[in-house]
Amino acid sequence: METILEIKNLKTHFFTKAGLIKAVDDISFKIKKGEIVGLVGESGSGKSITGFSIIGLIDAPGRIVSGSINFKNEPLLNASSNRMQSLRGNRLAMIFQDPMMTLNPVLRIDTQMIETIKAHDKNISNQEAFRRCRDTLGLVGISSPEERMKAYPHQFSGGMRQRVCIAIAMLNKPDLIIADEPTTALDVTIQGQVIYEMQELCKKTGTALLWITHDLAVVAGIASKICVMYAGRIVEQGSVDDIINKPMHPYTIGLIKSVPSQNKRGEPLHQIEGMVPSMLELPIGCAFHDRCTETIENCKIEKPIETNQSDSRVIRCFNFKDIRK
Amino acid sequence: MTDILKVLQVSKNFVKPIDIASKVVNMFGNFYNQEVVHAVDNVSFNVTSGEVVGVVGESGCGKSTLGRMIAGILPLTSGKLDFHDQHYSGFDEGNYKHNSHIDLKIQMIFQDPFSSLNPRQKIIDIISEAPIHHKLISKKDKKYFVKDILNKVGLGTDAMDRFPHQFSGGQRQRIGIARALAVSPEFIVCDESIAALDVSIQAQVINLFLKLRQDLNLTYLFISHDIGVIQHIADRVVVMYLGQIVETASSDEIFSHPNHPYTKALLQGVPTLDTKKKIYTPIKGEIPSPINPPSGCYFHPRCKFSTNKCITDKPSYKEVSPNHFSACHLNS
């Protein structure tokens, strides 16, 4: 399978008045064609910034300091803003967390959708663009799309709006969609519907998907690969089976053990001690060492480097081998 | 085991009064009605002492409104609340009287630890304000008192002289818990109390809830949309849909034999740590507006088993197996 996106040693730092924040610090991963990759982490772990870095939405005081992002063998970091604009919404698309904020409240759905098509294809006729929008809306499970296209965003419910956002992302059949917590603002039953639609769409169109979430359970069912982030770094990545059933990094192990369904009812949950460190004052050495159960001396001094366990399995820890035994 | 709380046919309506333009039009023969939202509609259940009752449902199903009425911060439209067989809430706002003895025994912990603490107050004042006001402690004891409470919720005594913004989300939620515990309540309403916390912090706060329950013999009404959490800590589960209870049963029973189609769909939709490529079979449709709820069974437009009877008749709420109640026509 060909690789759609390859990120190597990406560093995105924010030069704020309070100090340097290494929001994304040396991360590398790949996405293959048609693959669903889950990027999991707590708030402030840098998972959204990774998404924004790919699509080129990092604003001052943030800057991509070093590393490379290759999209279909084309380096994105050196691309001109014109080139980025022609990629965004066309080959690369993004779905944001809050469907209430992403749609323009004063424009009808059809205007917003047709705009997306016409921005990238000047020669398309209005009728043809309209037809494509209608079909895509039908595809994401909106009934009677022809009438609903005349509606304004406030006439839709949250779940429906998120579907419209998904439809807009899908319009130009992109090669990669970055979905930043697309179901967090939705109810359980609606979340099920949206996950289902996304799963179907990726299967039908061969679009790759980077699913950013804080909820391991959401990606466990749909992704084929998972990257776990902590304090700006990917601490472990591998296939879904490996990460969920055979986690090796102490943080991943702690996260999975603390999911309520993994514990006996009424018993105390397994908990990770301490709290997420402030990105301004990260501990020296491994950022997780003061919450970790397997800390050795080296963790407090040196930052662990990435080690490959197999083709797909990468882990950043000094002391993980003992854990596996 | 005695019933600590009885909720009897409680309802809450929110009325949007008609504006002046509509009133004028009404004078000329048109007819604009007031819009009434039946947020909670005829809900009854009991809570026994020492129990954790979980309330689940989607947004807009009335679970938070129910919690607020029980905690005594929203008046009831109709119905009755009994705490230790003592009636404690009035029927309408005009008659609403505080019974401070009971009000102190029922406390609430809110969802958002950022907006529920006064940013200008020190932690020591946040926690000691209520007990001093109600003369449970004297002013000079407040330091020892607050120190003791902070220890109970796992915060150091140095927290006392700091302000809320100096704490992280998980710590603030602990302060919220400490404030609720300061008046030594028996019953605590937790309204989505862990929803705003990070994954690794959630487990810590859930454990704190479980520990406090044992140490202080507390009873919880735990409101959450997170079914995994409810499954873990609740002894009994109440499932709500559009302001009504559709099913109640013990936790074991409801998760192994859900009866109502809505409960089944709700449980199926929960993502789990199961790596087998799960095919989500979602329930169709959206949650209807509570202003114009559907006829008959409120769930019928989304239910795959719906019959003609469901469209016309409201299902009765009856016992399908011991202590397992459900409101569905399929049971008759």
Side-chain angles (χ1 to χ4, degrees):
Chain A
M1 283 283 238
E2 79 178 285
T3 304
I4 286 284
L5 183 83
E6 187 173 14
I7 296 184
K8 259 193 198 155
N9 306 102
L10 178 75
K11 291 186 181 180
T12 306
H13 294 177
F14 285 77
F15 301 87
T16 64
K17 278 188 185 145
L20 174 66
I21 294 175
K22 298 179 174 174
V24 172
D25 197 17
D26 198 8
I27 67 166
S28 311
F29 65 93
K30 282 180 194 168
I31 301 177
K32 293 194 188 110
K33 192 176 187 312
E35 194 180 32
I36 303 182
V37 175
L39 188 60
V40 184
E42 294 179 83
S43 53
S45 62
K47 54 191 195 306
S48 293
I49 298 299
T50 307
F52 292 148
S53 302
I54 297 170
I55 205 158
L57 292 179
I58 299 292
D59 265 335
R63 189 150 51 83
I64 297 175
V65 180
S66 65
S68 69
I69 301 173
N70 285 336
F71 177 66
K72 300 214 291 185
N73 296 323
E74 180 189 346
L76 287 189
L77 291 188
N78 305 328
S80 65
S81 61
N82 273 345
R83 177 66 190 147
M84 278 312 285
Q85 217 159 47
S86 68
L87 282 177
R88 268 197 295 260
N90 191 13
R91 312 302 342 132
L92 262 175
M94 187 148 183
I95 301 166
F96 296 90
Q97 173 172 3
D98 194 347
M100 315 287 161
M101 312 288 258
T102 36
L103 294 170
N104 188 335
V106 296
L107 293 180
R108 289 197 327 218
I109 300 296
D110 57 354
T111 325
Q112 303 192 40
M113 292 188 81
I114 290 170
E115 185 187 22
T116 314
I117 294 184
K118 291 210 136 189
H120 297 288
D121 186 353
K122 299 271 184 296
N123 301 324
I124 196 166
S125 71
N126 274 337
Q127 286 83 2
E128 176 60 27
F130 184 86
R131 220 172 296 138
R132 233 165 86 192
C133 295
R134 188 192 56 201
D135 296 346
T136 321
L137 269 189
L139 214 61
V140 295
I142 289 181
S143 49
S144 53
E146 196 137 355
E147 294 155 38
R148 300 312 295 256
M149 277 180 68
K150 301 235 159 40
Y152 286 91
H154 72 266
Q155 292 167 302
F156 287 90
S157 66
M160 287 297 220
R161 271 185 246 192
Q162 195 59 293
R163 275 159 212 249
V164 172
C165 294
I166 294 172
I168 292 176
M170 297 296 300
L171 268 181
N172 291 320
K173 300 208 168 49
D175 299 303
L176 174 68
I177 294 183
I178 301 161
D180 187 4
E181 308 242 14
T183 60
T184 309
L186 307 177
D187 272 315
V188 184
T189 56
I190 311 296
Q191 168 173 289
Q193 292 172 0
V194 170
I195 294 177
Y196 170 77
E197 305 291 355
M198 296 287 278
Q199 209 174 7
E200 288 290 295
L201 286 173
C202 287
K203 229 183 278 169
K204 270 185 213 152
T205 57
T207 301
L209 186 63
L210 178 66
W211 190 295
I212 299 172
T213 179
H214 67 275
D215 191 350
L216 262 174
V218 168
V219 283
I222 59 165
S224 50
K225 185 173 147 186
I226 292 182
C227 307
V228 182
M229 279 191 88
Y230 185 79
R233 297 155 160 251
I234 293 182
V235 291
E236 184 169 13
Q237 58 176 300
S239 70
V240 172
D241 273 327
D242 285 345
I243 297 286
I244 303 287
N245 300 326
K246 290 165 258 160
M248 289 204 273
H249 195 283
Y251 177 64
T252 322
I253 295 173
L255 266 192
I256 290 172
K257 273 192 189 162
S258 67
V259 172
S261 61
Q262 302 282 305
N263 287 264
K264 228 176 139 203
R265 205 169 76 77
E267 302 275 304
L269 291 171
H270 175 89
Q271 64 183 49
I272 303 176
E273 295 300 333
M275 51 183 178
V276 186
S278 153
M279 291 301 282
L280 277 168
E281 304 161 345
L282 282 184
I284 299 165
C286 173
F288 188 59
H289 83 252
D290 51 357
R291 303 178 72 188
C292 183
T293 48
E294 311 288 333
T295 317
I296 52 173
E297 272 312 302
N298 216 2
C299 303
K300 296 174 188 166
I301 308 160
E302 228 181 307
K303 282 188 178 155
I305 48 159
E306 295 196 318
T307 44
N308 277 46
Q309 294 306 302
S310 61
D311 287 348
S312 60
R313 194 99 201 251
V314 185
I315 184 164
R316 226 182 234 278
C317 183
F318 287 122
N319 199 20
F320 65 90
K321 285 206 183 86
D322 307 324
I323 300 162
R324 193 162 42 156
K325 274 169 201 164
Chain B
M1 284 292 211
T2 51
D3 283 342
I4 184 168
L5 178 82
K6 282 191 192 128
V7 180
L8 294 168
Q9 300 182 322
V10 162
S11 298
K12 177 75 193 173
N13 297 341
F14 292 102
V15 181
K16 183 186 163 200
I18 45 177
D19 55 20
I20 190 136
S22 309
K23 271 184 196 159
V24 172
V25 178
N26 277 356
M27 277 182 216
F28 294 101
N30 273 28
F31 197 68
Y32 282 103
N33 269 330
Q34 287 183 329
E35 284 189 349
V36 180
V37 176
H38 302 276
V40 173
D41 192 4
N42 213 358
V43 163
S44 310
F45 63 95
N46 293 350
V47 182
T48 46
S49 175
E51 195 180 31
V52 179
V53 174
V55 181
V56 287
E58 295 172 275
S59 55
C61 73
K63 54 190 194 303
S64 288
T65 309
L66 178 68
R68 280 167 179 268
M69 286 195 291
I70 290 172
I73 50 180
L74 261 186
L76 282 60
T77 305
S78 67
K80 201 164 161 250
L81 289 170
D82 281 349
F83 187 71
H84 283 308
D85 291 326
Q86 225 180 328
H87 177 62
Y88 80 91
S89 208
F91 274 79
D92 59 352
E93 273 168 82
N95 291 331
Y96 186 64
K97 280 199 195 75
H98 283 280
N99 179 339
S100 79
H101 173 67
I102 288 177
D103 283 350
L104 288 184
K105 291 290 170 209
I106 305 176
Q107 288 297 312
M108 187 156 180
I109 297 166
F110 298 91
Q111 170 170 9
D112 187 354
F114 291 88
S115 56
S116 59
L117 301 176
N118 185 344
R120 288 167 175 242
Q121 265 185 322
K122 284 184 181 167
I123 304 307
I124 182 167
D125 297 320
I126 291 178
I127 294 174
S128 63
E129 186 182 13
I132 289 175
H133 176 85
H134 292 284
K135 305 197 173 65
L136 299 176
I137 57 166
S138 64
K139 263 188 188 160
K140 56 177 197 280
D141 295 337
K142 86 174 175 186
K143 222 168 196 168
Y144 299 101
F145 177 78
V146 172
K147 200 190 272 182
D148 186 44
I149 297 242
L150 284 176
N151 281 335
K152 269 189 205 154
V153 297
L155 284 172
T157 36
D158 58 324
M160 250 184 335
D161 291 317
R162 284 153 72 187
F163 288 95
H165 74 265
Q166 292 167 296
F167 294 91
S168 69
Q171 287 174 315
R172 280 166 190 241
Q173 201 56 288
R174 284 170 196 265
I175 296 166
I177 297 168
R179 178 176 59 180
L181 293 178
V183 291
S184 38
E186 292 174 27
F187 189 90
I188 292 190
V189 179
C190 306
D191 186 7
E192 301 269 10
S193 301
I194 51 153
L197 304 177
D198 263 323
V199 189
S200 72
I201 308 298
Q202 272 189 7
Q204 295 177 359
V205 176
I206 293 175
N207 285 348
L208 177 64
F209 278 131
L210 292 172
K211 182 176 153 276
L212 291 173
R213 176 198 181 190
Q214 269 185 352
D215 294 354
L216 306 172
N217 194 21
L218 295 171
T219 309
Y220 290 120
L221 184 75
F222 207 93
I223 299 166
S224 180
H225 68 277
D226 189 334
I227 286 145
V229 171
I230 293 285
Q231 185 170 16
H232 185 76
I233 72 165
D235 301 315
R236 211 145 54 81
V237 179
V238 173
V239 184
M240 286 184 77
Y241 187 73
L242 273 189
Q244 297 183 330
I245 295 184
V246 293
E247 190 168 2
T248 319
S250 71
S251 193
D252 293 330
E253 174 78 10
I254 213 158
F255 288 105
S256 54
H257 307 102
N259 176 279
H260 199 280
Y262 177 65
T263 316
K264 285 181 191 165
L266 201 62
L267 298 185
Q268 256 171 23
V270 180
T272 52
L273 279 184
D274 198 351
T275 50
K276 268 173 260 143
K277 285 278 177 321
K278 186 166 150 187
I279 305 297
Y280 284 92
T281 42
I283 32 177
K284 53 182 190 217
E286 303 275 324
I287 308 160
S289 154
I291 297 176
N292 297 309
S295 62
C297 172
Y298 285 177
F299 188 57
H300 84 258
R302 302 175 76 190
C303 182
K304 52 182 169 185
F305 305 108
S306 86
T307 59
N308 283 336
K309 200 178 173 194
C310 302
I311 301 171
T312 52
D313 296 354
K314 199 166 242 182
S316 60
Y317 181 65
K318 56 187 169 194
E319 195 161 18
V320 286
S321 60
N323 283 323
H324 184 165
F325 295 86
S326 169
C328 182
H329 283 305
L330 292 176
N331 297 322
S332 52

